[in-house]
Amino acid sequence: MTPSQTTAEYSSGGVVYRRSETGYEFVAVQRARHGDWSLPKGHLEAGESREEAAIREVREEAGIEARIVCDLQEVVYFYRRAREGLTRKSVYYYLMEAVIDELGGPNWEVSEARWVPMSKADSLLSYANDKGTIRLAVKALDEGPVRTDSSLRSE
């Protein structure tokens, strides 16, 4: 591939939430390689649906089981690498309810996973797209999320 070509990349992830005494909290992960704070997400594997990838990535990165409640949004952005050229990346986010509260420990991808009050998203998360996704999650939770047909497959 030449650096002038554009490739496509697809990932899925979620805003995993739980209810606490003070409101809702979400799972944030600190990526070991970058040191940034983000939402759990990762690449779709061959033959895997977006929903399956989101559930798997949350399990792998945060060490927690969660179920999909509803779709949140697709975030699209571009990045460039010297050898590969331009990449168009699509990340599909879901609102996901934690099945258990205990998060996993560090692993090769994530140095820490933690529960964070929704109100602290802007001060912790490293990326504007993640902060916007949290705002959508808060809106969905405030309005009472409507389950999607795709979420029924995750249970």
Side-chain angles (χ1 to χ4, degrees), residues 8-153:
E9 196 174 286
Y10 300 95
S11 292
S12 279
V15 175
V16 180
Y17 74 92
R18 71 176 181 185
R19 194 181 302 264
S20 71
E21 292 177 7
T22 58
Y24 289 107
E25 296 177 324
F26 73 97
V27 175
V29 295
Q30 185 177 44
R31 296 186 306 168
R33 203 168 35 142
H34 302 286
D36 56 359
W37 284 94
S38 65
L39 299 171
K41 65 182 174 300
H43 293 95
L44 274 68
E45 294 181 354
E48 189 175 48
S49 71
R50 295 184 294 209
E51 296 88 351
E52 291 166 336
I55 291 167
R56 177 186 51 76
E57 285 292 340
V58 163
R59 184 183 317 114
E60 288 176 4
E61 292 193 357
I64 191 169
E65 295 296 324
R67 67 176 186 86
I68 292 175
V69 175
C70 66
D71 297 341
L72 282 177
Q73 73 171 338
E74 175 186 9
V75 172
V76 177
Y77 59 93
F78 293 84
Y79 67 91
R80 183 177 302 278
R81 291 188 184 141
R83 289 187 158 178
E84 292 87 7
L86 189 63
T87 299
R88 178 189 188 275
K89 183 161 185 171
S90 296
V91 183
Y92 302 94
Y93 285 103
Y94 299 91
L95 182 63
M96 302 173 75
E97 183 179 27
V99 175
I100 57 170
D101 285 348
E102 188 174 335
L103 297 170
N107 59 52
W108 71 275
E109 277 187 294
V110 171
S111 54
E112 183 183 352
R114 71 167 67 152
W115 287 107
V116 180
M118 294 279 192
S119 62
K120 303 290 184 195
D122 281 350
S123 61
L124 177 70
L125 293 173
S126 301
Y127 303 104
N129 286 334
D130 287 348
K131 294 172 186 181
T133 302
I134 291 292
R135 285 191 284 280
L136 288 174
V138 168
K139 183 178 180 197
L141 289 166
D142 287 347
E143 293 175 355
V146 177
R147 295 177 60 82
T148 63
D149 289 342
S150 61
S151 66
L152 298 175
R153 293 193 303 260

